[in-house]
Amino acid sequence: MAQIRIHNVRKDFGAFNAVKSSTFTVEDGEFFMLLGPSGCGKTTTLRMMAGLELPTSGEIYIGGEEVGMKRASERDIAFVFQMFALYPHMNVRRNISYPLVSQGMRKAEVAKRVAEVAKILRIENILDKPIGGLSGGDRQRVAVGRAIVRNPKAFFMDEPLGALDAEFREHMAQELRALHDRMGATTVYVTHDQLEAMQMGDKIVVMNHGVVEQFGKPQEIYDWPATKFVAKFIGSPPMNFLEFDGSVGTGGTHVSLAGHMVRVPMSREEHAGKLALGVRPEHIRFNDDSAYRGRVIAVEYLGTTQIVTIDTQHGEIKVRTPSHQVAHVEELIGLDFDSRSLTVFNSATGAALVSEANEGVLRRG
Ligand SMILES: Nc1ncnc2c1ncn2[C@@H]1O[C@H](COP(=O)(O)OP(=O)(O)O)[C@@H](O)[C@H]1O
Ligand SMILES: [Mg+2]
């Protein structure tokens, strides 16, 4: 198994720059997510790591070795394709053993490896069944089996669950993660689904328009987004932005929202101009004593919590509160922000200002 390092990797298709200079590291044994909206360059990045696409510039290292000149077949990695990409006319055993047989491995060794893989995947009982009669879950397991049987350095998966319905998708996501934990194999997984990335990943790279906006652990990215794009893309409802004109100085601990002083984590940089105060829906509380007020325009009941939409002088925001806190449409409500959890953004560039709370996790590409 192996660490994978991407250093200043760029990809142009003719005049179109699909991946901007990107740098990040997948540590040995990690379940690593490439996350971003459709067209942001996830597949292109994965294909460059795999050797299916040549970078325009930059270096890629697998297990410490520069692999730029190596073809996919020489990189010792395996792609797990979408679940139905199996040989339908072969049974399970032959599907799994195919990559070994085609590289000329001895029969006894093949049988041993297939038995090991079948045990890991818990599919010993279906080895002689035809693919055609299998459930979706078993087919996915066989597809994984065919990838892991070669014992490659790393696994690459490009939206492997994309075609599944929600319930089955969740089940297979859990199973892929559990399988990873049994094998400990470095895995790079592409998805556009932020929930899937948060639930499954050890680390996440968030991409947008070919740019690595941030990479880090799911909680780092959720708590301390490096950019407004990341803040909006992760979390549901997404982070609120209160847009204001103002300033924050080095060592500053407050911002003035149209005269309302709001305490924020101590700033490590200064900025004046268009700013945005970023606050997650669960970090806002109702407080009758607060002078910062807004009008309730909608209440969405979700069981234990509710989402209350409130019109403020800085725009519409969404607040997640316990359902027993009654809020009526048209009511004026006082609001408090959880000071420890606020992020101040430079609104012109979208970049988070560095503060004592987020320094250390603002890893940008
Ligand atoms: N072979 C290609 N030739 C030209 N443009 C491409 C090619 N492959 C991908 N692109 C473009 O590069 C961008 C990134 O594509 P892709 O990596 O597939 O995005 P994602 O997987 O995030 O949806 C898209 O705008 C896509 O149209
Ligand atoms: Mg893609």
Side-chain angles (χ1 to χ4, degrees), residues 147-353:
I148 68 180
V149 75
R150 285 196 291 112
N151 201 14
K153 287 198 182 122
F155 296 106
F156 292 170
M157 308 191 192
D158 193 349
E159 314 232 16
L161 310 180
L164 308 180
D165 63 61
E167 193 182 340
F168 187 50
R169 196 184 163 103
E170 168 117 15
H171 172 75
M172 281 314 298
Q174 279 171 9
E175 183 152 321
L176 282 179
R177 177 68 224 208
L179 181 66
H180 169 269
D181 294 344
R182 290 206 290 281
M183 299 193 307
T186 308
T187 302
V188 185
Y189 186 109
V190 166
T191 181
H192 64 272
D193 181 332
Q194 58 101 9
L195 254 183
E196 195 170 275
M198 297 292 280
Q199 287 170 343
M200 293 176 83
D202 294 315
K203 289 238 189 77
I204 301 175
V205 154
V206 185
M207 293 185 70
N208 182 34
H209 292 306
V211 174
V212 171
E213 298 261 332
Q214 187 172 13
F215 79 100
K217 295 177 185 157
Q219 195 180 352
E220 291 172 350
I221 286 177
Y222 183 83
D223 288 346
W224 305 117
T227 63
K228 285 174 88 175
F229 174 82
V230 173
K232 269 189 284 196
F233 197 71
I234 308 253
S236 173
M239 186 176 263
N240 297 293
F241 301 111
L242 297 127
E243 304 281 347
F244 66 104
D245 283 310
S247 65
V248 57
T250 309
T253 56
H254 289 79
V255 295
S256 170
L257 274 187
H260 298 278
M261 297 308 281
V262 176
R263 193 178 166 85
V264 295
M266 187 191 286
S267 185
R268 298 287 195 225
E269 58 180 308
E270 59 181 345
H271 185 75
K274 297 222 172 294
L275 294 169
L277 184 66
V279 52
R280 293 237 175 247
E282 64 273 26
H283 295 144
I284 306 172
R285 280 178 312 279
F286 298 157
N287 176 6
D288 287 338
D289 297 330
S290 171
Y292 191 81
R293 303 180 91 77
R295 187 177 301 280
V296 176
I297 52 180
V299 181
E300 204 182 327
Y301 176 72
L302 296 175
T304 49
T305 65
Q306 62 191 352
I307 305 296
V308 183
T309 306
I310 297 177
D311 191 25
T312 75
Q313 56 187 302
H314 296 97
E316 226 170 81
I317 61 173
K318 289 194 187 285
V319 181
R320 186 190 290 276
T321 64
S323 297
H324 61 79
Q325 290 185 1
V326 179
H328 300 288
V329 172
E330 285 300 315
E331 183 184 1
L332 269 180
I333 265 182
L335 302 170
D336 266 350
F337 305 111
D338 178 353
S339 301
R340 290 161 311 166
S341 308
L342 300 175
T343 306
V344 182
F345 294 91
N346 173 341
S347 234
T349 63
L353 300 189

